[in-house]
Amino acid sequence: MKNKSGKRVCKNKKCQKVLPSSYKHRYCEACRNKHAYAIRNTLEGIGALAGIVLVTAIGREINSKK
Ligand SMILES: [Zn+2]
């Protein structure tokens, strides 16, 4: 969606910061940093959960062999 001035703004509706025309990204730097941080946290959360599941599965495997 383009506005009349042709200015691009940050896609974050709460931010709406005007982006330079040469700017490649849809989100401003601050929002991109926040977004990256959120993704990292999510991945770490998934990783931790996967680790717990794996450990539990291995534990079951070992116990079942005894
Ligand atoms: Zn922004």
Side-chain angles (χ1 to χ4, degrees), residues 1 7 9-10 13 17 25-26 48 50 56 59 62 64-65:
M1 200 167 80
K7 278 181 183 173
V9 294
C10 178
K13 284 173 183 172
K17 189 181 170 184
H25 308 290
R26 288 177 295 173
T56 308
I62 290 164
S64 69
K65 279 178 183 171

Side-chain angles (χ1 to χ4, degrees), residues 10-63:
C10 178
K11 285 275 182 180
N12 184 349
K13 284 173 183 172
K14 288 174 187 173
C15 176
Q16 298 277 293
K17 189 181 170 184
V18 177
L19 304 171
S21 57
S22 61
Y23 198 75
K24 288 175 193 170
H25 308 290
R26 288 177 295 173
Y27 294 85
C28 74
E29 204 67 44
C31 288
R32 277 168 47 76
N33 287 339
K34 268 185 221 167
H35 197 60
Y37 188 72
I39 287 172
R40 205 180 307 144
N41 277 353
T42 305
L43 288 178
E44 274 175 13
I46 291 167
L49 193 67
I52 290 164
V53 170
L54 194 66
V55 166
T56 308
I58 289 166
R60 279 203 196 120
E61 189 77 14
I62 290 164
N63 285 337

